[in-house]
Amino acid sequence: MSQNGQPSVPGRSAVLPVVTGDTAMVFGAGILPAGHWFGTHEHPQHQIARAARGVIVVEIGDGHWVLPPTRALWIPGNTRHRTGSSEGATMSGIFVAPDRCPVSFTAPTMLRVTRLLHELFDHLTAPGTAPAPRRRAEAVVFDLLDPVEVIPIGARLPTDARARQVAEALERDPADERTLGQFATDVAAGPRTLARLFVAETGMSFGQWRTQIRLAASLPPLAAGVPIARIAGRVGYSTPSAYIAAFRRSVGVSPGRYFAR
């Protein structure tokens, strides 16, 4: 565990020096191996989560936030969340003291990371930056925090053991095309029972839930620049146009515009 509350990956991460004095921000960094997830946790500081390299994912409740280096996520203090990376990434965690913070995002908020903001983050993590220049740089960072309006994608897992088994199989392989009737024998529950459980425990029909899981699985490769033709088959769509249509119906924009807005 780092000094600012962020879990670290034993033997695979490095924590940057913690800033002391009257600063508003402290910085931590770590290498996330492919497939690694920090456990669900919270901390009193606000956090700006970002990937310096690769793509990270932050899950908060039902929300599934995918962050390439051009995006960051404001996580309000005391918000339970978990963070990971499917392909591996270098994560930068910027922790903000609530009593020294002039911005007031009260909910998780996607932020645009411009080249200038990226350079300021590097400046603030450089060793030997004096207190007065640090305070001025922090003030500019706060001025540059620019929200990006996006719809988070994802769905919570059911808690019933039978429905949960179905859900976890689809999380492992979003392209799995089995119906509830085909899953029923494996989990010892009738298809109608499973259908009722998904509605009661996720707030969605099974079909809607499956769509959200497929779209969520598509976001990390989409953020990494993988061609849509490859992504579509990987997450269970027979053609790129079917994937694009499902994405647009659920999110309101095409996949190509999701990270460009």
Side-chain angles (χ1 to χ4, degrees):
M1 181 77 70
S2 75
Q3 297 180 55
N4 47 31
Q6 177 68 21
S8 59
V9 182
R12 299 295 296 273
S13 66
V15 177
L16 296 175
V18 175
V19 180
T20 58
D22 58 347
T23 182
M25 300 178 179
V26 293
F27 290 75
I31 297 173
L32 273 66
H36 180 84
W37 283 84
F38 293 131
T40 301
H41 65 282
E42 62 185 79
H43 32 71
Q45 307 100 325
H46 306 310
Q47 181 182 356
I48 303 172
R50 61 181 288 262
R53 180 192 60 80
V55 178
I56 65 171
V57 179
V58 180
E59 292 184 353
I60 301 175
D62 298 343
H64 189 93
W65 309 83
V66 176
L67 308 173
T70 56
R71 296 288 183 265
L73 182 67
W74 179 274
I75 305 172
N78 300 310
T79 298
R80 292 186 62 76
H81 60 283
R82 74 180 194 128
T83 306
S85 176
S86 58
E87 302 296 330
T90 300
M91 179 182 174
S92 173
I94 301 138
F95 297 85
V96 183
D99 59 345
R100 297 174 183 168
C101 178
V103 300
S104 56
F105 302 125
T106 58
T109 302
M110 186 84 87
L111 303 171
R112 181 177 290 104
V113 179
T114 62
R115 183 176 295 275
L116 175 57
L117 194 55
H118 176 82
E119 294 296 334
L120 282 166
F121 287 149
D122 284 349
H123 172 65
L124 284 165
T125 58
T129 304
R134 181 177 295 279
R135 288 193 297 272
R136 291 193 293 269
E138 288 178 352
V140 177
V141 167
F142 286 127
D143 284 343
L144 292 176
L145 296 182
D146 182 17
V148 179
E149 185 178 349
V150 295
I151 298 175
I153 296 172
R156 64 178 177 268
L157 293 174
T159 56
D160 179 273
R162 297 162 295 179
R164 183 76 171 228
Q165 189 174 339
V166 174
E168 289 176 345
L170 292 172
E171 278 202 322
R172 289 192 298 271
D173 180 13
D176 189 331
E177 296 183 351
R178 282 180 289 176
T179 66
L180 282 182
Q182 291 169 317
F183 275 114
T185 302
D186 292 338
V187 302
R192 290 185 180 180
T193 297
L194 290 173
R196 286 195 297 269
L197 287 169
F198 269 90
V199 172
E201 298 189 355
T202 72
M204 302 179 185
S205 70
F206 173 70
Q208 292 169 329
W209 187 92
R210 190 206 293 263
T211 295
Q212 286 294 307
I213 291 303
R214 285 178 168 179
L215 297 184
S218 78
L219 290 181
L222 184 66
V226 175
I228 285 177
R230 288 174 53 194
I231 295 172
R234 188 183 299 181
V235 299
Y237 291 95
S238 57
T239 64
S241 60
Y243 165 64
I244 292 169
F247 198 103
R248 191 187 297 275
R249 281 195 303 271
S250 294
V251 184
V253 297
S254 68
R257 292 191 61 202
Y258 187 79
F259 289 108
R261 298 172 73 201

